[in-house]
Amino acid sequence: MPEYAHVERHQTLIDASMDHVWRAIEQVRPREIRLFMLLTFLRGLGRTRRNDADLPLLDVARAGGFAEIGRTDHELVLGTIGQFWRLRPRGCQRTITSPESFMAFAEPGFAKAAINFLATPREGGILLVTETRIAAFGDARRRFAMYWRLILPGSALIRRQWLAAIRRRAGGRLL
């Protein structure tokens, strides 16, 4: 998503193979991320249920409205479209039918968000970066900006804990 107004970026170096890192990305569960269930409940976005804690987090994200909009050997990108600042999710999301439909979306009153995992070989392991980008349209720009200021600390905590859970699952150590 080349055009965005808000961004959040976190990274870690994992002392493990690329295969182990990708397997860990696919297998991490919400219960492995400290405070994930509480923060997503408070935010109202995750709509997670207790039984979601044992499902892979990427599956929980997909069930919550995220769609895979890109994948290579080194990167996975998920996207979602909605009115994230609303407490009631019904009617506040748009279905993503293709990566192209996601990229073209610009309906006023809505925002779109993309989150990625980019794994790059480095000396000493794999550099794993996650970045979240958000673009909002029309009057949603102001609404999302206020919402973003409110949820950014919790979102950042979730992303850092997510990377730590991936590192643990991959069998890597913090370098």
Side-chain angles (χ1 to χ4, degrees):
M1 196 165 84
E3 295 181 29
Y4 52 92
H6 305 276
V7 65
E8 177 185 352
R9 187 175 193 271
H10 303 279
Q11 66 184 37
T12 189
L13 186 62
I14 303 173
D15 183 17
S17 71
M18 185 71 80
D19 287 343
H20 283 104
V21 169
W22 278 112
R23 194 170 313 120
I25 289 169
E26 295 285 349
Q27 294 176 351
V28 165
R29 273 118 170 103
R31 65 177 155 70
E32 297 175 65
I33 299 172
R34 190 174 7 166
L35 300 177
F36 177 84
M37 300 298 282
L38 174 64
L39 290 172
T40 56
F41 172 78
L42 291 174
R43 188 173 68 189
L45 279 180
R47 295 178 298 281
T48 53
R49 300 173 311 264
R50 281 201 172 132
N51 57 345
D52 287 346
D54 292 319
L55 298 174
L57 187 51
L58 292 178
D59 290 347
V60 173
R62 288 178 184 112
F66 279 85
E68 189 171 306
I69 57 173
R71 185 185 282 261
T72 67
D73 291 345
H74 292 86
E75 185 175 27
L76 170 66
V77 184
L78 300 173
T80 188
I81 298 169
Q83 296 172 326
F84 312 124
W85 52 92
R86 292 192 180 238
L87 292 178
R88 299 224 162 37
R90 198 164 300 215
C92 297
Q93 283 189 298
R94 294 292 186 255
T95 301
I96 299 169
T97 57
S98 68
E100 295 78 20
S101 73
F102 177 82
M103 292 302 294
F105 185 89
E107 185 179 330
F110 284 84
K112 64 181 177 181
I115 180 173
N116 81 331
F117 288 98
L118 176 64
T120 308
R122 291 282 194 267
E123 184 175 329
I126 303 297
L127 178 64
L128 183 61
V129 176
T130 182
E131 188 172 271
T132 304
R133 296 178 177 183
I134 301 100
F137 309 99
D139 66 342
R141 288 184 187 105
R142 181 182 53 77
R143 290 179 182 175
F144 185 81
M146 290 187 307
Y147 169 76
W148 184 246
R149 283 191 293 275
L150 179 66
I151 64 108
L152 183 58
S155 178
L157 177 63
I158 287 172
R159 298 303 184 275
R160 288 191 303 270
Q161 292 295 318
W162 199 343
L163 289 174
I166 291 168
R167 187 176 57 245
R168 284 190 304 273
R169 268 201 176 256
R173 57 187 167 86
L174 182 60
L175 299 177

